[in-house]
Amino acid sequence: MSRAGKFSMVSRSVWRSAKFKSLPSDRARLLFFYFLTSDHQNGIGCFRLPDGYAIADLGWTLPEYHVAKGDVEGAGLIDTDPDTDEIYVERWMQNNPPSNKNHATGMRKLIFGIESDRLREKAEGDFLEVGPETAVETERPSAGHYDRLSNTRYLSGRG
């Protein structure tokens, strides 16, 4: 498994989120964290998850899963397309923007692969909102590049 697949970023602000706090049960809160961190998740927050996979992973019955999923969707934390079995985690792009040009390119490819037209358009809009150019701003300078901090007296060995 690649390094990228070993973790998911979860913002600490989730605990202060009115939407998260509105979830009516621990089961719904657990399901939201499952959607954020499961093996099905990817770099754009939109993935295909048939009900059978989720209930097998969670050890729940189908009715239990449907109730909790409805609660999470009703709180506005996810959007789903039952025709394609795809789930989109709302605000994914805001919490996980592209970190460099290659990451942005990979995200574009994943967005292109979303089967649901509605969810693909939503993911693309969110991607454009966070700005793929953000990836350029967060790139590290090349080896020969000196930025303002590295050119200080202390870091350059002059002080």
Side-chain angles (χ1 to χ4, degrees):
M1 177 182 279
S2 72
R3 179 172 166 76
K6 291 185 180 182
F7 69 94
S8 292
M9 297 294 283
V10 178
S11 174
R12 293 180 296 228
S13 66
V14 70
W15 298 104
R16 294 187 309 273
S17 163
K19 291 177 181 182
F20 181 76
K21 286 180 176 182
S22 77
L23 292 173
S25 68
D26 287 342
R27 188 175 292 269
R29 287 184 281 278
L30 175 63
L31 184 59
F32 179 60
F33 281 112
Y34 171 78
F35 290 146
L36 289 175
T37 63
S38 78
D39 286 341
H40 308 284
Q41 187 53 265
N42 61 25
I44 57 168
C46 188
F47 53 96
R48 186 172 178 276
L49 181 64
D51 291 351
Y53 287 13
I55 64 173
D57 288 347
L58 295 163
W60 295 355
T61 65
L62 190 58
E64 289 170 328
Y65 175 68
H66 281 167
V67 167
K69 183 178 173 186
D71 291 341
V72 176
E73 187 167 19
L77 293 167
I78 62 167
D79 194 356
T80 66
D81 187 330
D83 293 333
T84 63
D85 290 326
E86 289 171 309
I87 294 173
Y88 180 66
V89 175
E90 299 286 359
R91 299 195 44 79
W92 179 271
M93 302 283 182
Q94 289 83 352
N95 291 307
N96 298 282
S99 58
N100 58 53
K101 289 180 189 179
N102 290 339
H103 187 196
T105 299
M107 290 174 81
R108 282 188 194 99
K109 288 178 184 176
L110 287 172
I111 291 168
F112 182 73
I114 297 172
E115 188 178 345
S116 167
D117 291 337
R118 186 175 55 78
L119 295 182
R120 185 176 54 258
E121 288 172 12
K122 180 180 268 195
E124 184 175 27
D126 288 351
F127 178 74
L128 293 173
E129 184 180 301
V130 299
E133 66 279 357
T134 302
V136 175
E137 295 170 10
T138 61
E139 282 192 82
R140 293 187 176 158
S142 63
H145 182 275
Y146 293 99
D147 63 11
R148 197 168 51 118
L149 179 61
S150 64
N151 206 21
T152 62
R153 292 177 60 97
Y154 179 76
L155 289 178
S156 65
R158 297 181 312 226

